[in-house]
Amino acid sequence: GLYFAPPTSAENREEDVVVAGLGRFDLAVTGREPKPTPLSDVQAALDEARRSHPQDVIVATLDGSFVADAGPTGLRLPPNTCVVLDGSISAATDEPGHRKSPQGRITQLVLMPAEGVASIAGGVLDGSLLPQHVVNAPGAAVVVLDGVTVRRSGANAITTKERHNLSRPMFVRGCRVTDNAGRGIWVHVCRSVHAIANVCTGNGADGIDFDAYGRNSTALFNTCTGNRRHGVFVEEPGTADNTIYANRLHGNRSHEICLYNSSKTKPLARNLLACNDCAGDPTRTAISVRALMHDNVLFNNVCRAGKLIGGLWSSRDTYVAQNVTDVAPKTVTGIGPFFCTPGPQPIMKTDER
């Protein structure tokens, strides 16, 4: 199997092995002050390092401020490249080619490679509301984002698509994903993507979205608050075998957690929602489970006064049990058990005589 130990902002010793069987080449690029260094300088340094050290993992330490100055793709990480960012990378706001339009918008601020391994640790990636994605991670590379602030994408902050190999996972851990125009973390047609202990707040759509055919993935210990749609969204046909566990989901505009499927032929199936705290706002829907789905489990989630809606048309064998609510579930249809544990009841005092 693959041994990959990406450097972090706290642990970046030059003697550490990053990938078993490969050497390591360390590269340092310092941003100029007060004007940020163009990303094209970083790109040239990474490309030259890749040519000169084809059998090594490049560990690039970027110190200072950098700006996307040219091209539609921002920074393109070569295969087997790790970045430790002590500073920021941002999209240029004053370049004529970076208008906020489909024609002028850069595609992403950072493009992950399609093979090998890649990581970014620390620092700030700021899209200035211009690129479609701040981080775009298509293909089959093993990707790690660790402790990065990812903000102000023109659409979705962290996007991964067409990732099918269970042995080539992606991890987003300890990141702050905030103030993006669309989703915070978007997993689409993928397997083995893991969002762990992130804060996703103030995004224009969902904090975390497992979209169509998103499988074998997890959202663990995340905090998703103040997003304009759902805290966690599990949606569309073929989305299966995902685990949404021990997340804190409060104050999201639509639902704290939503399971939804627009298909009437292929189900959303075998997803586990357990031990999530959705108890923030009694005016909102804590958990919504709707449309064609089979064999999902909602267990031991705390909803309190937030509504738990089970509109399970064309559904079967979805098990909803021991969720703490202060209101009865409504619109419960479909085939299969649906139980809720009531919240604490108020103590009734008798009139004193």
Side-chain angles (χ1 to χ4, degrees), residues 4 7 10 14 27 45 65 188 219 229 232 256 268 271 303 324:
F4 177 36
E14 292 188 11
L27 170 71
S65 300
H188 192 195
R229 194 162 63 177
V232 175
E256 310 298 4
L268 182 155
N271 298 285
C303 302
V324 178

Side-chain angles (χ1 to χ4, degrees), residues 126-189:
D126 189 340
S128 305
L129 296 178
L130 293 172
Q132 185 176 359
H133 318 287
V134 174
V135 177
N136 190 11
V142 177
V143 169
V144 176
L145 299 176
D146 186 273
V148 187
T149 294
V150 185
R151 69 189 186 198
R152 298 202 302 165
S153 172
N156 304 306
I158 300 170
T159 296
T160 182
K161 190 171 182 178
E162 300 293 348
R163 179 179 297 276
H164 301 297
N165 191 334
L166 278 171
S167 66
R168 312 294 291 179
M170 177 172 175
F171 297 91
V172 182
R173 187 186 77 88
C175 294
R176 183 172 180 83
V177 185
T178 182
D179 299 323
N180 298 282
R183 302 165 176 90
I185 300 172
W186 187 32
V187 181
H188 192 195
V189 196

Side-chain angles (χ1 to χ4, degrees), residues 39 93 159 187 224 254 277:
L39 267 183
T93 59
T159 296
V187 181
C224 298
S254 293
D277 178 358

Side-chain angles (χ1 to χ4, degrees), residues 6 59 94-95 157 161 190 200 221 284:
V59 177
D94 56 357
E95 295 290 330
K161 190 171 182 178
C190 286
C200 301
F221 313 113
R284 302 184 192 280

Side-chain angles (χ1 to χ4, degrees), residues 1 32 43 47 75 100 151 172 225 260 272 276 284 315 319 341:
R32 295 189 297 269
Q43 189 72 63
D47 292 344
L75 183 65
K100 195 175 179 181
R151 69 189 186 198
V172 182
T225 63
Y260 178 75
L272 170 66
N276 297 287
R284 302 184 192 280
S315 175
Y319 184 82
T341 305

